[in-house]
Amino acid sequence: MKQESVQSQPGDLDTRWHDVIKRRSFLAGLSASGVALSARELAARDKDDRRLPKGDVAVIKFLAAAELVESDFWQQYNELGGVHGGNPAYQLALQNLDSDMPQYISDNTDDEMSHAAFLNAYLVSKGETPVNLDAFRTLPSSQATGAKQIGRLTNLMNLTVDTSWYTQYRSTQNPDLGGGPFPQAVHIVNQPSIPLDDADTPPDQKQPVPPANHRQRRMQAIANTAGFHFATFDQKGSSVYTNLILNVSSRQVLRVLVSILGVEVDHFAVWHDKAGNAVSQPLAGVTDPETGVRFPDLNSPPFGGEEFQTNLIFPEPCAFITRHFPACSVIRPSLRRNAGAVVTATAIANSQLFLGQPQEFFDAVIALAKAADAARREPFDDDDD
Ligand SMILES: [Fe+2]
């Protein structure tokens, strides 16, 4: 009896081999998305071939798309301003926010690429198709020194950055309980967050604090915009992960998403701190001479106080669940109407991050978002201890 159970029949081996070949050729087609599974991972799939609940798949697919988007724009930041970035003046301007900025940018880029690759590989391991946005990598690159000339998913050259998270997280009010509106910390409208070309912002210029001439002010305002854009995206990421996690059914999917959420919040906290350095002394007061976007000193009148003070970077305890409970320091918002996939995707689209994408792109993203918002918890027992 024991011997029979360990001996494979030739027919079984053939079937299994064909399964592996089929899977490998399928996976080979996914290389552009950075998805690759090791033999061990493929073997693990053989052991656990239960399909996930439909809602879990929809949630992971939306988040995989969000991570692909994040990876795309972080790669652009990394090419120019990362630790091996190719634009020294941009790196210097970012270092005026924190001398470690290039390292943080490179590491954040790695993290987002790992999230996208992991979520897609996880989908494949559960028999689902991965998310592939390669057909939409058509937007132009920056012409500045350091940028690769390849098609992009995202556009960092004309951003409108919602900075209301800054005053929201300093407030005791919670948008989920009717709090707000929260004022913008900085009015960043139609502003690039990467240098556009070398004529505008020469790559070899110095970046003193405060910037001394037209081009230096322009480059500093661009770097300051990046500082706020980093935090804005991760704040929205922290909220949408928190919301979507509420509707997954698999314990393992819960573990995957909670574990990634923690890193998104970690990023948000760091970028919150760095953004504050753009609006405090000695750097505060920079105005982009081309767009007029201004980074005031938020520690001085008419700003300052609890609503604007730049070192109040940890979330203020706020109303949570009901106003009857004591205030609690939490990620917010987290309800679908304020932090769901459609709301978040719409807010990101409104930031002009996808400026130049065709209607098909927006349709595809909104379809993924609607499916994710439709997910509901259901009984599903997959003890992942
Ligand atoms: Fe991420």
PDB file of all heavy atoms in Angstrom, residues 329-366:
ATOM      1  N   SER A 329      -5.770  57.180  16.976  1.00  0.00           N
ATOM      2  CA  SER A 329      -4.843  57.500  15.889  1.00  0.00           C
ATOM      3  C   SER A 329      -4.872  56.362  14.862  1.00  0.00           C
ATOM      4  O   SER A 329      -4.392  55.262  15.146  1.00  0.00           O
ATOM      5  CB  SER A 329      -3.436  57.677  16.469  1.00  0.00           C
ATOM      6  OG  SER A 329      -2.558  58.100  15.461  1.00  0.00           O
ATOM      7  N   VAL A 330      -5.460  56.621  13.713  1.00  0.00           N
ATOM      8  CA  VAL A 330      -5.709  55.561  12.726  1.00  0.00           C
ATOM      9  C   VAL A 330      -5.467  56.069  11.307  1.00  0.00           C
ATOM     10  O   VAL A 330      -5.465  57.273  11.053  1.00  0.00           O
ATOM     11  CB  VAL A 330      -7.179  55.052  12.783  1.00  0.00           C
ATOM     12  CG1 VAL A 330      -7.441  54.287  14.071  1.00  0.00           C
ATOM     13  CG2 VAL A 330      -8.168  56.204  12.619  1.00  0.00           C
ATOM     14  N   ILE A 331      -5.321  55.100  10.393  1.00  0.00           N
ATOM     15  CA  ILE A 331      -5.373  55.408   8.969  1.00  0.00           C
ATOM     16  C   ILE A 331      -6.800  55.828   8.643  1.00  0.00           C
ATOM     17  O   ILE A 331      -7.759  55.170   9.047  1.00  0.00           O
ATOM     18  CB  ILE A 331      -5.000  54.146   8.146  1.00  0.00           C
ATOM     19  CG1 ILE A 331      -3.529  53.797   8.339  1.00  0.00           C
ATOM     20  CG2 ILE A 331      -5.335  54.337   6.659  1.00  0.00           C
ATOM     21  CD1 ILE A 331      -2.571  54.841   7.846  1.00  0.00           C
ATOM     22  N   ARG A 332      -6.934  56.909   7.921  1.00  0.00           N
ATOM     23  CA  ARG A 332      -8.253  57.386   7.501  1.00  0.00           C
ATOM     24  C   ARG A 332      -8.098  58.166   6.221  1.00  0.00           C
ATOM     25  O   ARG A 332      -7.025  58.769   6.030  1.00  0.00           O
ATOM     26  CB  ARG A 332      -8.935  58.217   8.600  1.00  0.00           C
ATOM     27  CG  ARG A 332      -8.310  59.595   8.867  1.00  0.00           C
ATOM     28  CD  ARG A 332      -7.276  59.544   9.933  1.00  0.00           C
ATOM     29  NE  ARG A 332      -7.019  60.877  10.504  1.00  0.00           N
ATOM     30  CZ  ARG A 332      -6.207  61.069  11.528  1.00  0.00           C
ATOM     31  NH1 ARG A 332      -5.557  60.056  12.052  1.00  0.00           N
ATOM     32  NH2 ARG A 332      -6.003  62.293  12.014  1.00  0.00           N
ATOM     33  N   PRO A 333      -9.156  58.177   5.381  1.00  0.00           N
ATOM     34  CA  PRO A 333     -10.412  57.451   5.530  1.00  0.00           C
ATOM     35  C   PRO A 333     -10.215  55.962   5.231  1.00  0.00           C
ATOM     36  O   PRO A 333      -9.211  55.555   4.657  1.00  0.00           O
ATOM     37  CB  PRO A 333     -11.303  58.103   4.471  1.00  0.00           C
ATOM     38  CG  PRO A 333     -10.348  58.532   3.398  1.00  0.00           C
ATOM     39  CD  PRO A 333      -9.107  58.952   4.118  1.00  0.00           C
ATOM     40  N   SER A 334     -11.229  55.162   5.603  1.00  0.00           N
ATOM     41  CA  SER A 334     -11.169  53.745   5.273  1.00  0.00           C
ATOM     42  C   SER A 334     -12.508  53.193   4.782  1.00  0.00           C
ATOM     43  O   SER A 334     -12.605  52.002   4.493  1.00  0.00           O
ATOM     44  CB  SER A 334     -10.681  52.933   6.485  1.00  0.00           C
ATOM     45  OG  SER A 334     -11.550  53.089   7.585  1.00  0.00           O
ATOM     46  N   LEU A 335     -13.540  54.031   4.702  1.00  0.00           N
ATOM     47  CA  LEU A 335     -14.825  53.557   4.161  1.00  0.00           C
ATOM     48  C   LEU A 335     -14.817  53.624   2.633  1.00  0.00           C
ATOM     49  O   LEU A 335     -14.154  54.474   2.044  1.00  0.00           O
ATOM     50  CB  LEU A 335     -15.981  54.399   4.701  1.00  0.00           C
ATOM     51  CG  LEU A 335     -16.321  54.202   6.183  1.00  0.00           C
ATOM     52  CD1 LEU A 335     -17.504  55.099   6.564  1.00  0.00           C
ATOM     53  CD2 LEU A 335     -16.624  52.738   6.491  1.00  0.00           C
ATOM     54  N   ARG A 336     -15.637  52.752   2.026  1.00  0.00           N
ATOM     55  CA  ARG A 336     -15.646  52.655   0.552  1.00  0.00           C
ATOM     56  C   ARG A 336     -15.923  54.009  -0.107  1.00  0.00           C
ATOM     57  O   ARG A 336     -15.309  54.363  -1.100  1.00  0.00           O
ATOM     58  CB  ARG A 336     -16.672  51.609   0.105  1.00  0.00           C
ATOM     59  CG  ARG A 336     -16.646  51.362  -1.417  1.00  0.00           C
ATOM     60  CD  ARG A 336     -17.637  50.296  -1.850  1.00  0.00           C
ATOM     61  NE  ARG A 336     -17.331  49.042  -1.176  1.00  0.00           N
ATOM     62  CZ  ARG A 336     -18.168  48.416  -0.359  1.00  0.00           C
ATOM     63  NH1 ARG A 336     -19.373  48.901  -0.150  1.00  0.00           N
ATOM     64  NH2 ARG A 336     -17.822  47.302   0.233  1.00  0.00           N
ATOM     65  N   ARG A 337     -16.868  54.759   0.488  1.00  0.00           N
ATOM     66  CA  ARG A 337     -17.254  56.013  -0.184  1.00  0.00           C
ATOM     67  C   ARG A 337     -16.116  57.032  -0.196  1.00  0.00           C
ATOM     68  O   ARG A 337     -16.113  57.965  -1.001  1.00  0.00           O
ATOM     69  CB  ARG A 337     -18.512  56.607   0.461  1.00  0.00           C
ATOM     70  CG  ARG A 337     -18.363  57.044   1.897  1.00  0.00           C
ATOM     71  CD  ARG A 337     -19.613  57.776   2.376  1.00  0.00           C
ATOM     72  NE  ARG A 337     -19.513  58.144   3.777  1.00  0.00           N
ATOM     73  CZ  ARG A 337     -19.936  57.380   4.778  1.00  0.00           C
ATOM     74  NH1 ARG A 337     -20.486  56.203   4.529  1.00  0.00           N
ATOM     75  NH2 ARG A 337     -19.809  57.783   6.024  1.00  0.00           N
ATOM     76  N   ASN A 338     -15.149  56.870   0.702  1.00  0.00           N
ATOM     77  CA  ASN A 338     -14.021  57.819   0.754  1.00  0.00           C
ATOM     78  C   ASN A 338     -12.689  57.194   0.352  1.00  0.00           C
ATOM     79  O   ASN A 338     -11.741  57.926   0.043  1.00  0.00           O
ATOM     80  CB  ASN A 338     -13.880  58.374   2.172  1.00  0.00           C
ATOM     81  CG  ASN A 338     -15.081  59.184   2.594  1.00  0.00           C
ATOM     82  OD1 ASN A 338     -15.611  59.955   1.799  1.00  0.00           O
ATOM     83  ND2 ASN A 338     -15.537  58.996   3.826  1.00  0.00           N
ATOM     84  N   ALA A 339     -12.609  55.856   0.419  1.00  0.00           N
ATOM     85  CA  ALA A 339     -11.310  55.200   0.218  1.00  0.00           C
ATOM     86  C   ALA A 339     -11.415  53.951  -0.641  1.00  0.00           C
ATOM     87  O   ALA A 339     -10.461  53.180  -0.726  1.00  0.00           O
ATOM     88  CB  ALA A 339     -10.701  54.834   1.575  1.00  0.00           C
ATOM     89  N   GLY A 340     -12.562  53.738  -1.290  1.00  0.00           N
ATOM     90  CA  GLY A 340     -12.713  52.565  -2.138  1.00  0.00           C
ATOM     91  C   GLY A 340     -11.886  52.682  -3.406  1.00  0.00           C
ATOM     92  O   GLY A 340     -11.216  53.697  -3.654  1.00  0.00           O
ATOM     93  N   ALA A 341     -11.952  51.633  -4.217  1.00  0.00           N
ATOM     94  CA  ALA A 341     -11.110  51.581  -5.419  1.00  0.00           C
ATOM     95  C   ALA A 341     -11.539  52.624  -6.450  1.00  0.00           C
ATOM     96  O   ALA A 341     -10.690  53.305  -7.043  1.00  0.00           O
ATOM     97  CB  ALA A 341     -11.170  50.176  -6.011  1.00  0.00           C
ATOM     98  N   VAL A 342     -12.859  52.768  -6.671  1.00  0.00           N
ATOM     99  CA  VAL A 342     -13.311  53.736  -7.694  1.00  0.00           C
ATOM    100  C   VAL A 342     -12.973  55.160  -7.265  1.00  0.00           C
ATOM    101  O   VAL A 342     -12.456  55.957  -8.065  1.00  0.00           O
ATOM    102  CB  VAL A 342     -14.831  53.578  -7.960  1.00  0.00           C
ATOM    103  CG1 VAL A 342     -15.347  54.725  -8.814  1.00  0.00           C
ATOM    104  CG2 VAL A 342     -15.120  52.238  -8.637  1.00  0.00           C
ATOM    105  N   VAL A 343     -13.246  55.475  -6.003  1.00  0.00           N
ATOM    106  CA  VAL A 343     -12.936  56.822  -5.489  1.00  0.00           C
ATOM    107  C   VAL A 343     -11.439  57.107  -5.626  1.00  0.00           C
ATOM    108  O   VAL A 343     -11.021  58.197  -6.055  1.00  0.00           O
ATOM    109  CB  VAL A 343     -13.385  56.939  -4.011  1.00  0.00           C
ATOM    110  CG1 VAL A 343     -12.809  58.165  -3.351  1.00  0.00           C
ATOM    111  CG2 VAL A 343     -14.895  56.946  -3.919  1.00  0.00           C
ATOM    112  N   THR A 344     -10.637  56.123  -5.278  1.00  0.00           N
ATOM    113  CA  THR A 344      -9.176  56.322  -5.318  1.00  0.00           C
ATOM    114  C   THR A 344      -8.684  56.445  -6.759  1.00  0.00           C
ATOM    115  O   THR A 344      -7.879  57.337  -7.071  1.00  0.00           O
ATOM    116  CB  THR A 344      -8.479  55.158  -4.598  1.00  0.00           C
ATOM    117  OG1 THR A 344      -8.989  55.090  -3.262  1.00  0.00           O
ATOM    118  CG2 THR A 344      -6.976  55.354  -4.565  1.00  0.00           C
ATOM    119  N   ALA A 345      -9.174  55.569  -7.632  1.00  0.00           N
ATOM    120  CA  ALA A 345      -8.743  55.623  -9.037  1.00  0.00           C
ATOM    121  C   ALA A 345      -9.152  56.956  -9.663  1.00  0.00           C
ATOM    122  O   ALA A 345      -8.394  57.552 -10.446  1.00  0.00           O
ATOM    123  CB  ALA A 345      -9.352  54.461  -9.815  1.00  0.00           C
ATOM    124  N   THR A 346     -10.329  57.437  -9.298  1.00  0.00           N
ATOM    125  CA  THR A 346     -10.804  58.722  -9.837  1.00  0.00           C
ATOM    126  C   THR A 346      -9.923  59.867  -9.350  1.00  0.00           C
ATOM    127  O   THR A 346      -9.549  60.767 -10.123  1.00  0.00           O
ATOM    128  CB  THR A 346     -12.273  58.954  -9.415  1.00  0.00           C
ATOM    129  OG1 THR A 346     -13.057  57.842  -9.875  1.00  0.00           O
ATOM    130  CG2 THR A 346     -12.828  60.230 -10.001  1.00  0.00           C
ATOM    131  N   ALA A 347      -9.575  59.831  -8.069  1.00  0.00           N
ATOM    132  CA  ALA A 347      -8.711  60.889  -7.516  1.00  0.00           C
ATOM    133  C   ALA A 347      -7.341  60.879  -8.198  1.00  0.00           C
ATOM    134  O   ALA A 347      -6.780  61.939  -8.506  1.00  0.00           O
ATOM    135  CB  ALA A 347      -8.554  60.704  -6.007  1.00  0.00           C
ATOM    136  N   ILE A 348      -6.832  59.704  -8.451  1.00  0.00           N
ATOM    137  CA  ILE A 348      -5.515  59.617  -9.108  1.00  0.00           C
ATOM    138  C   ILE A 348      -5.613  60.124 -10.544  1.00  0.00           C
ATOM    139  O   ILE A 348      -4.736  60.850 -11.022  1.00  0.00           O
ATOM    140  CB  ILE A 348      -4.973  58.179  -9.025  1.00  0.00           C
ATOM    141  CG1 ILE A 348      -4.661  57.834  -7.557  1.00  0.00           C
ATOM    142  CG2 ILE A 348      -3.727  58.014  -9.897  1.00  0.00           C
ATOM    143  CD1 ILE A 348      -4.394  56.378  -7.306  1.00  0.00           C
ATOM    144  N   ALA A 349      -6.706  59.773 -11.214  1.00  0.00           N
ATOM    145  CA  ALA A 349      -6.901  60.278 -12.583  1.00  0.00           C
ATOM    146  C   ALA A 349      -7.014  61.811 -12.565  1.00  0.00           C
ATOM    147  O   ALA A 349      -6.460  62.493 -13.432  1.00  0.00           O
ATOM    148  CB  ALA A 349      -8.151  59.656 -13.197  1.00  0.00           C
ATOM    149  N   ASN A 350      -7.695  62.346 -11.545  1.00  0.00           N
ATOM    150  CA  ASN A 350      -7.846  63.799 -11.447  1.00  0.00           C
ATOM    151  C   ASN A 350      -6.520  64.519 -11.197  1.00  0.00           C
ATOM    152  O   ASN A 350      -6.407  65.724 -11.431  1.00  0.00           O
ATOM    153  CB  ASN A 350      -8.840  64.164 -10.345  1.00  0.00           C
ATOM    154  CG  ASN A 350     -10.272  63.838 -10.740  1.00  0.00           C
ATOM    155  OD1 ASN A 350     -10.566  63.655 -11.915  1.00  0.00           O
ATOM    156  ND2 ASN A 350     -11.157  63.742  -9.758  1.00  0.00           N
ATOM    157  N   SER A 351      -5.532  63.789 -10.713  1.00  0.00           N
ATOM    158  CA  SER A 351      -4.210  64.401 -10.491  1.00  0.00           C
ATOM    159  C   SER A 351      -3.440  64.563 -11.795  1.00  0.00           C
ATOM    160  O   SER A 351      -2.350  65.135 -11.786  1.00  0.00           O
ATOM    161  CB  SER A 351      -3.395  63.549  -9.520  1.00  0.00           C
ATOM    162  OG  SER A 351      -2.886  62.390 -10.180  1.00  0.00           O
ATOM    163  N   GLN A 352      -3.999  64.063 -12.889  1.00  0.00           N
ATOM    164  CA  GLN A 352      -3.390  64.125 -14.222  1.00  0.00           C
ATOM    165  C   GLN A 352      -2.179  63.207 -14.355  1.00  0.00           C
ATOM    166  O   GLN A 352      -1.357  63.381 -15.249  1.00  0.00           O
ATOM    167  CB  GLN A 352      -3.024  65.560 -14.606  1.00  0.00           C
ATOM    168  CG  GLN A 352      -4.195  66.515 -14.411  1.00  0.00           C
ATOM    169  CD  GLN A 352      -4.079  67.752 -15.261  1.00  0.00           C
ATOM    170  OE1 GLN A 352      -4.428  67.729 -16.431  1.00  0.00           O
ATOM    171  NE2 GLN A 352      -3.568  68.811 -14.661  1.00  0.00           N
ATOM    172  N   LEU A 353      -2.096  62.232 -13.461  1.00  0.00           N
ATOM    173  CA  LEU A 353      -0.994  61.260 -13.546  1.00  0.00           C
ATOM    174  C   LEU A 353      -1.090  60.439 -14.833  1.00  0.00           C
ATOM    175  O   LEU A 353      -0.092  59.894 -15.293  1.00  0.00           O
ATOM    176  CB  LEU A 353      -1.047  60.327 -12.320  1.00  0.00           C
ATOM    177  CG  LEU A 353       0.085  59.325 -12.166  1.00  0.00           C
ATOM    178  CD1 LEU A 353       1.424  60.030 -11.903  1.00  0.00           C
ATOM    179  CD2 LEU A 353      -0.195  58.342 -11.019  1.00  0.00           C
ATOM    180  N   PHE A 354      -2.306  60.352 -15.397  1.00  0.00           N
ATOM    181  CA  PHE A 354      -2.493  59.561 -16.623  1.00  0.00           C
ATOM    182  C   PHE A 354      -2.742  60.460 -17.837  1.00  0.00           C
ATOM    183  O   PHE A 354      -3.296  59.998 -18.850  1.00  0.00           O
ATOM    184  CB  PHE A 354      -3.676  58.598 -16.447  1.00  0.00           C
ATOM    185  CG  PHE A 354      -3.561  57.707 -15.240  1.00  0.00           C
ATOM    186  CD1 PHE A 354      -4.618  57.592 -14.344  1.00  0.00           C
ATOM    187  CD2 PHE A 354      -2.406  56.982 -14.998  1.00  0.00           C
ATOM    188  CE1 PHE A 354      -4.520  56.766 -13.224  1.00  0.00           C
ATOM    189  CE2 PHE A 354      -2.296  56.155 -13.883  1.00  0.00           C
ATOM    190  CZ  PHE A 354      -3.353  56.048 -12.999  1.00  0.00           C
ATOM    191  N   LEU A 355      -2.338  61.724 -17.727  1.00  0.00           N
ATOM    192  CA  LEU A 355      -2.575  62.664 -18.826  1.00  0.00           C
ATOM    193  C   LEU A 355      -1.974  62.120 -20.122  1.00  0.00           C
ATOM    194  O   LEU A 355      -0.782  61.818 -20.186  1.00  0.00           O
ATOM    195  CB  LEU A 355      -1.932  64.018 -18.484  1.00  0.00           C
ATOM    196  CG  LEU A 355      -2.276  65.180 -19.400  1.00  0.00           C
ATOM    197  CD1 LEU A 355      -3.741  65.564 -19.276  1.00  0.00           C
ATOM    198  CD2 LEU A 355      -1.392  66.398 -19.063  1.00  0.00           C
ATOM    199  N   GLY A 356      -2.823  61.997 -21.151  1.00  0.00           N
ATOM    200  CA  GLY A 356      -2.367  61.475 -22.443  1.00  0.00           C
ATOM    201  C   GLY A 356      -2.814  60.045 -22.694  1.00  0.00           C
ATOM    202  O   GLY A 356      -2.721  59.557 -23.829  1.00  0.00           O
ATOM    203  N   GLN A 357      -3.289  59.362 -21.651  1.00  0.00           N
ATOM    204  CA  GLN A 357      -3.770  57.992 -21.861  1.00  0.00           C
ATOM    205  C   GLN A 357      -5.114  58.014 -22.595  1.00  0.00           C
ATOM    206  O   GLN A 357      -5.924  58.922 -22.383  1.00  0.00           O
ATOM    207  CB  GLN A 357      -3.938  57.267 -20.513  1.00  0.00           C
ATOM    208  CG  GLN A 357      -2.631  56.831 -19.872  1.00  0.00           C
ATOM    209  CD  GLN A 357      -1.956  55.679 -20.586  1.00  0.00           C
ATOM    210  OE1 GLN A 357      -2.428  55.206 -21.628  1.00  0.00           O
ATOM    211  NE2 GLN A 357      -0.824  55.226 -20.065  1.00  0.00           N
ATOM    212  N   PRO A 358      -5.375  56.996 -23.443  1.00  0.00           N
ATOM    213  CA  PRO A 358      -6.653  56.955 -24.152  1.00  0.00           C
ATOM    214  C   PRO A 358      -7.790  56.530 -23.227  1.00  0.00           C
ATOM    215  O   PRO A 358      -7.558  56.023 -22.124  1.00  0.00           O
ATOM    216  CB  PRO A 358      -6.415  55.878 -25.221  1.00  0.00           C
ATOM    217  CG  PRO A 358      -5.398  54.974 -24.608  1.00  0.00           C
ATOM    218  CD  PRO A 358      -4.507  55.856 -23.757  1.00  0.00           C
ATOM    219  N   GLN A 359      -9.012  56.725 -23.690  1.00  0.00           N
ATOM    220  CA  GLN A 359     -10.199  56.359 -22.904  1.00  0.00           C
ATOM    221  C   GLN A 359     -10.154  54.880 -22.502  1.00  0.00           C
ATOM    222  O   GLN A 359     -10.609  54.518 -21.408  1.00  0.00           O
ATOM    223  CB  GLN A 359     -11.472  56.660 -23.712  1.00  0.00           C
ATOM    224  CG  GLN A 359     -12.756  56.539 -22.911  1.00  0.00           C
ATOM    225  CD  GLN A 359     -12.786  57.460 -21.688  1.00  0.00           C
ATOM    226  OE1 GLN A 359     -12.411  58.625 -21.755  1.00  0.00           O
ATOM    227  NE2 GLN A 359     -13.207  56.912 -20.551  1.00  0.00           N
ATOM    228  N   GLU A 360      -9.592  54.036 -23.370  1.00  0.00           N
ATOM    229  CA  GLU A 360      -9.538  52.589 -23.077  1.00  0.00           C
ATOM    230  C   GLU A 360      -8.788  52.336 -21.766  1.00  0.00           C
ATOM    231  O   GLU A 360      -9.113  51.415 -21.020  1.00  0.00           O
ATOM    232  CB  GLU A 360      -8.846  51.810 -24.208  1.00  0.00           C
ATOM    233  CG  GLU A 360      -9.612  51.755 -25.517  1.00  0.00           C
ATOM    234  CD  GLU A 360      -9.567  53.068 -26.302  1.00  0.00           C
ATOM    235  OE1 GLU A 360      -8.609  53.859 -26.123  1.00  0.00           O
ATOM    236  OE2 GLU A 360     -10.507  53.322 -27.074  1.00  0.00           O
ATOM    237  N   PHE A 361      -7.760  53.126 -21.500  1.00  0.00           N
ATOM    238  CA  PHE A 361      -6.999  52.945 -20.266  1.00  0.00           C
ATOM    239  C   PHE A 361      -7.878  53.233 -19.050  1.00  0.00           C
ATOM    240  O   PHE A 361      -7.944  52.446 -18.112  1.00  0.00           O
ATOM    241  CB  PHE A 361      -5.773  53.868 -20.256  1.00  0.00           C
ATOM    242  CG  PHE A 361      -5.012  53.839 -18.968  1.00  0.00           C
ATOM    243  CD1 PHE A 361      -4.074  52.850 -18.714  1.00  0.00           C
ATOM    244  CD2 PHE A 361      -5.238  54.799 -17.982  1.00  0.00           C
ATOM    245  CE1 PHE A 361      -3.384  52.809 -17.515  1.00  0.00           C
ATOM    246  CE2 PHE A 361      -4.549  54.763 -16.785  1.00  0.00           C
ATOM    247  CZ  PHE A 361      -3.617  53.770 -16.553  1.00  0.00           C
ATOM    248  N   PHE A 362      -8.565  54.385 -19.095  1.00  0.00           N
ATOM    249  CA  PHE A 362      -9.425  54.754 -17.962  1.00  0.00           C
ATOM    250  C   PHE A 362     -10.540  53.723 -17.789  1.00  0.00           C
ATOM    251  O   PHE A 362     -10.883  53.348 -16.667  1.00  0.00           O
ATOM    252  CB  PHE A 362     -10.003  56.157 -18.174  1.00  0.00           C
ATOM    253  CG  PHE A 362      -8.947  57.230 -18.145  1.00  0.00           C
ATOM    254  CD1 PHE A 362      -8.380  57.695 -19.319  1.00  0.00           C
ATOM    255  CD2 PHE A 362      -8.494  57.748 -16.937  1.00  0.00           C
ATOM    256  CE1 PHE A 362      -7.391  58.671 -19.295  1.00  0.00           C
ATOM    257  CE2 PHE A 362      -7.516  58.717 -16.897  1.00  0.00           C
ATOM    258  CZ  PHE A 362      -6.957  59.184 -18.085  1.00  0.00           C
ATOM    259  N   ASP A 363     -11.098  53.256 -18.920  1.00  0.00           N
ATOM    260  CA  ASP A 363     -12.151  52.239 -18.848  1.00  0.00           C
ATOM    261  C   ASP A 363     -11.640  50.973 -18.169  1.00  0.00           C
ATOM    262  O   ASP A 363     -12.323  50.370 -17.344  1.00  0.00           O
ATOM    263  CB  ASP A 363     -12.671  51.901 -20.259  1.00  0.00           C
ATOM    264  CG  ASP A 363     -13.416  53.069 -20.898  1.00  0.00           C
ATOM    265  OD1 ASP A 363     -13.764  54.027 -20.176  1.00  0.00           O
ATOM    266  OD2 ASP A 363     -13.640  53.021 -22.130  1.00  0.00           O
ATOM    267  N   ALA A 364     -10.420  50.567 -18.541  1.00  0.00           N
ATOM    268  CA  ALA A 364      -9.858  49.338 -17.972  1.00  0.00           C
ATOM    269  C   ALA A 364      -9.632  49.495 -16.471  1.00  0.00           C
ATOM    270  O   ALA A 364      -9.948  48.599 -15.674  1.00  0.00           O
ATOM    271  CB  ALA A 364      -8.539  48.994 -18.677  1.00  0.00           C
ATOM    272  N   VAL A 365      -9.091  50.649 -16.070  1.00  0.00           N
ATOM    273  CA  VAL A 365      -8.809  50.866 -14.641  1.00  0.00           C
ATOM    274  C   VAL A 365     -10.109  50.947 -13.839  1.00  0.00           C
ATOM    275  O   VAL A 365     -10.232  50.349 -12.762  1.00  0.00           O
ATOM    276  CB  VAL A 365      -7.958  52.149 -14.447  1.00  0.00           C
ATOM    277  CG1 VAL A 365      -7.872  52.529 -12.966  1.00  0.00           C
ATOM    278  CG2 VAL A 365      -6.560  51.942 -15.025  1.00  0.00           C
ATOM    279  N   ILE A 366     -11.102  51.648 -14.381  1.00  0.00           N
ATOM    280  CA  ILE A 366     -12.373  51.780 -13.643  1.00  0.00           C
ATOM    281  C   ILE A 366     -13.087  50.424 -13.561  1.00  0.00           C
ATOM    282  O   ILE A 366     -13.707  50.105 -12.539  1.00  0.00           O
ATOM    283  CB  ILE A 366     -13.271  52.863 -14.288  1.00  0.00           C
ATOM    284  CG1 ILE A 366     -12.663  54.253 -14.018  1.00  0.00           C
ATOM    285  CG2 ILE A 366     -14.692  52.805 -13.751  1.00  0.00           C
ATOM    286  CD1 ILE A 366     -12.578  54.657 -12.541  1.00  0.00           C
TER     287      ILE A 366
END
